[in-house]
Amino acid sequence: MELQRTLTAIESARDHFSNLYDFAPSAYFELTEGGAIRQVNHAGAKLLRVENKELLNAPFVRFVAPGDVDLLSRNLLGPALRDGQVSFEASLLRGDGSYLSAQLDGVLLAQGGSAPSILMVATDIGARKKTELALREQEKFFRLIAENLGDFIAVLDLEGRRIYNSPSYQRLFGHERDLRGTDSFAEIHEEDRARIRQAFLETVKTGIGQQGDYRFVLPDGSVRWMESVGAVIRDSTGQVARVVVVARDVTERKLADSQLRIAATAFEADMAILVTDAERVIQRVNRAFTELTGYSAEEVIGQTPSMLSSGRHGADFYGAMWESIHRSGSWHGEIWNRRRNGEIYPQWLTIAAVRDVDGLVVTHYVATMTDISERKAAEEAIRHLALYDDLTQLPNRRLLMDRLQRAVATCARSGHHGALLLIDLDNFKWLNDTHGHDHGDLLLQEVASRLKSCIREVDTAARLGGDEFVVMLSELSENLDEAKRQAESVGEKILVALNRLYILLGKEHHSTPSIGVTLYVDQRKTIDDLIKQADLAMYQSKAAGRNTMRFFDPRLLAG
């Protein structure tokens, strides 16, 4: 009896560990020394998309991409395994012909008197590989911008320590110095440091970039004036994770504001300079002015600077500018001007009043001009990354929330209705799982294009994330029933557009949407309330069989 109980316990333990092996979430393979599959669990068969019985006794190398066969032989079937556990990455060939990036971990198992075997664990790392690739592409794009602009670009952590600096910083400090991890406030003049640190903290706290100028003390003791603007990088949860600072050396402009006189400065600086008399009639310009504007000296002397006007600024703008010059003796700021060929471009303009030797009478005005097109492009690129979805180029959740907040306020003032349409693609996960994320991404891009074709310029199409989109309709009728008909008409147009056949990488695909709609006219509902109502209505569409549209019914909340 005792022997029988012992045998029963052994049998039970064997069954227990067999079940653990078979139903473990990780893919396990037991291989012979020659690489044949001796055992495989359910997860392993599922990973390779081959029936378990078809895998037994098959050489594992059959499921390895041709380019990685030698890698497998060196690591798993060669002498390296006898020195201990091995771990490497390889591309596997599944039974359905698709490829899989996997991490393979192997260890040699002793079998008593019998031949040893190899225990191998295979892990799908395809998602991680795609993420790493996306990050490398993003970093490449950022570095391309940073390393080809003359401006100084720095990425800082939330303590103000440098994580990245553009090559221009290295040239400023000297190539031999590594700036990573250093305090970005250390070189700021002690009289400016507290103010700039406070601006940095405000950027971190509010997520809104601050502008400012300050003195920068270089290692050799020389001082440069810098002008900078900040922007934030958020993590996946929307929290501020990094601060990007774009700075420009504006020392020459500062000197021009306070020290330049006509005889000493007109042609010393490598920037466009224009000199007028006290009546604002142009007297002289330098070579850089001609290069910047396209006008020769002969064409502008005797004219007034208004000939450069772009037409974008009104009388109030110029009135305030000259009031500042009369009060303080100078003005500086961004302005849009026009070149001789008609091109309108952004410019940093500084105007300083020049007085006589006694400092009593203004005799001339000196204007220095700098083309800031590249800086504006960099600022726009940073803004676009923060506010638009990278895949579809539609507004992201952050920009949508801002526009929706303003739209609700506008409706409250005007009495006109607005509408929010939440659109979810039916069975999108199936497309990704069956055909891969490249097909899914192409579908999302095509959906974004079709949504934009269904709405007016005053409306907004945005991507919330995944396969969820939002269409915000503005300026609908003041009458509720008419507004509902208008929203319904747009919804039906979207249903038709998104039902049209898609061609994705040469393959036909049919996709349908489920749409939830809610209307608003005042500010009694919060933005979160509107999103929740549209979401509830969308799930009603799902429940009704998909590929349809439902309006929010207040009874849904009661239920």
Side-chain angles (χ1 to χ4, degrees):
M1 291 299 293
E2 185 63 27
L3 177 60
Q4 182 62 42
R5 283 195 295 270
T6 301
L7 291 174
T8 301
I10 293 173
E11 184 69 20
S12 176
R14 187 179 65 181
D15 291 342
H16 174 69
F17 286 108
S18 176
N19 288 335
L20 287 177
Y21 175 86
D22 279 342
F23 295 101
S26 298
Y28 289 102
F29 297 84
E30 183 182 354
L31 310 179
T32 66
E33 279 191 295
I37 300 174
R38 178 178 290 170
Q39 289 190 69
V40 58
N41 67 352
H42 292 303
K46 183 177 179 181
L47 183 74
L48 293 181
R49 296 179 182 173
V50 178
E51 291 295 327
N52 191 299
K53 61 183 179 181
E54 295 179 26
L55 291 172
L56 295 179
N57 299 319
F60 185 79
V61 71
R62 196 178 93 193
F63 304 100
V64 178
D68 287 342
V69 170
D70 289 341
L71 181 65
L72 178 78
S73 298
R74 289 196 305 272
N75 284 276
L76 206 59
L77 305 180
L81 189 62
R82 301 189 181 279
D83 297 331
Q85 188 173 0
V86 296
S87 180
F88 60 100
E89 295 178 7
S91 183
L92 302 184
L93 177 62
R94 289 167 154 165
D96 61 3
S98 64
Y99 284 91
L100 163 74
S101 294
Q103 178 174 317
L104 303 179
D105 298 282
V107 64
L108 196 63
L109 297 177
Q111 300 288 340
S114 60
S117 62
I118 301 166
L119 177 62
M120 182 183 70
V121 182
T123 305
D124 184 350
I125 59 173
R128 190 189 79 193
K129 287 288 188 181
K130 288 184 178 180
T131 300
E132 291 172 352
L133 178 61
L135 289 173
R136 286 196 297 271
E137 289 295 325
Q138 187 177 36
E139 180 182 6
K140 180 181 178 182
F141 175 74
F142 176 76
R143 289 184 182 276
L144 184 64
I145 294 176
E147 295 177 5
N148 288 278
L149 293 179
D151 289 345
F152 303 97
I153 300 177
V155 179
L156 312 177
D157 66 17
L158 301 187
E159 301 298 324
R161 292 183 294 265
R162 298 180 175 101
I163 298 173
Y164 169 80
N165 287 95
S166 60
S168 50
Y169 266 110
Q170 295 296 130
R171 292 191 290 271
L172 189 65
F173 281 93
H175 289 282
E176 72 284 353
R177 182 175 175 190
D178 187 358
L179 299 174
R180 289 174 299 179
T182 60
D183 181 5
S184 64
F185 303 109
E187 289 80 19
I188 296 177
H189 195 284
E190 59 182 7
E191 294 179 4
D192 302 330
R193 193 175 299 147
R195 172 173 55 85
I196 298 304
R197 189 187 296 274
Q198 183 59 39
F200 174 83
L201 294 176
E202 283 295 314
T203 296
V204 172
K205 178 180 178 182
T206 65
I208 301 173
Q210 307 289 315
Q211 291 182 317
D213 53 10
Y214 48 88
R215 286 163 290 179
F216 212 68
V217 182
L218 297 181
D220 62 3
S222 60
V223 176
R224 306 296 292 177
W225 275 97
M226 306 294 285
E227 176 187 75
S228 67
V229 60
V232 299
I233 298 175
R234 298 180 184 272
D235 60 22
S236 60
T237 67
Q239 298 299 308
V240 174
R242 299 285 187 265
V243 175
V244 180
V245 178
V246 180
R248 168 166 289 194
D249 186 336
V250 293
T251 305
E252 301 305 321
R253 193 192 78 214
K254 285 287 186 179
L255 291 174
D257 285 346
S258 61
Q259 300 176 9
L260 294 182
R261 293 187 59 82
I262 297 174
T265 64
F267 298 95
E268 290 179 2
D270 189 20
M271 63 175 65
I273 298 177
L274 176 151
V275 182
T276 76
D277 61 16
E279 302 302 319
R280 307 180 200 171
V281 175
I282 300 173
Q283 302 292 301
R284 300 181 70 182
V285 295
N286 66 351
R287 176 186 52 80
F289 173 90
T290 296
E291 293 176 352
L292 178 66
T293 67
Y295 286 104
S296 67
E298 293 76 16
E299 290 175 301
V300 299
I301 290 176
Q303 305 293 325
T304 65
S306 61
M307 67 181 296
L308 305 174
S309 174
S310 66
R312 290 194 177 188
H313 306 289
D316 291 345
F317 174 86
Y318 292 108
M321 179 180 75
W322 283 105
E323 191 278 328
S324 174
I325 295 170
H326 296 324
R327 183 182 69 254
S328 64
S330 66
W331 179 90
H332 61 266
E334 288 186 12
I335 190 171
W336 289 85
N337 271 337
R338 187 187 304 271
R339 306 187 204 271
R340 189 178 186 277
N341 63 6
E343 177 190 355
I344 296 174
Y345 66 104
Q347 182 187 94
W348 185 268
L349 174 65
T350 297
I351 301 176
V354 180
R355 299 182 180 273
D356 61 15
V357 292
D358 297 321
L360 300 176
V361 179
V362 173
T363 60
H364 297 83
Y365 295 101
V366 177
T368 59
M369 308 169 183
T370 305
D371 187 338
I372 58 172
S373 300
E374 289 185 350
R375 191 187 81 185
K376 297 289 284 187
E379 292 171 356
E380 177 59 25
I382 293 173
R383 189 191 73 85
H384 192 274
L385 287 173
L387 297 178
Y388 288 85
D389 175 58
D390 189 53
L391 177 66
T392 64
Q393 300 305 308
L394 291 180
N396 60 17
R397 176 184 289 271
R398 181 183 177 191
L399 182 54
L400 172 68
M401 294 301 105
D402 179 68
R403 289 186 179 179
L404 186 54
Q405 191 76 51
R406 285 183 288 166
V408 170
T410 299
C411 287
R413 290 193 300 269
S414 68
H416 286 268
H417 286 80
L420 201 65
L421 287 72
L422 184 61
I423 302 158
D424 184 88
L425 303 183
D426 300 326
N427 302 314
F428 179 76
K429 184 177 183 299
W430 177 88
L431 175 64
N432 270 343
D433 292 346
T434 305
H435 296 290
H437 288 278
D438 51 347
H439 284 74
D441 289 348
L442 288 173
L443 177 64
L444 293 175
Q445 290 172 334
E446 180 62 24
V447 167
S449 176
R450 295 186 186 185
L451 285 178
K452 287 190 290 186
S453 70
C454 293
I455 61 176
R456 305 162 299 173
E457 287 188 2
V458 297
D459 302 323
T460 294
R463 183 187 178 201
L464 281 185
D467 60 334
E468 282 193 334
F469 295 81
V470 169
V471 167
M472 185 186 77
L473 303 180
S474 304
E475 300 178 13
L476 301 180
S477 174
E478 295 176 73
N479 179 272
L480 176 60
D481 292 336
E482 178 61 21
K484 184 176 181 180
R485 285 192 292 272
Q486 292 171 333
E488 186 175 21
S489 175
V490 175
E492 290 172 350
K493 188 175 181 182
I494 291 172
L495 282 170
V496 171
L498 300 192
N499 266 273
R500 292 201 308 268
L501 186 67
Y502 298 84
I503 305 297
L504 308 176
L505 296 177
K507 297 180 180 179
E508 295 184 352
H509 179 72
H510 183 255
S511 177
T512 62
S514 293
I515 304 175
V517 188
T518 188
L519 300 177
Y520 56 88
V521 71
D522 54 37
Q523 293 180 298
R524 286 179 293 180
K525 299 173 184 176
T526 67
I527 300 304
D528 288 340
D529 289 337
L530 294 177
I531 296 291
K532 180 179 180 181
Q533 291 176 3
D535 192 59
L536 287 172
M538 184 271 291
Y539 276 103
Q540 287 296 106
S541 298
K542 293 279 189 185
R546 297 186 171 90
N547 194 24
T548 188
M549 171 176 51
R550 289 290 185 271
F551 278 76
F552 169 72
D553 185 346
R555 289 175 295 181
L556 294 175
L557 293 177

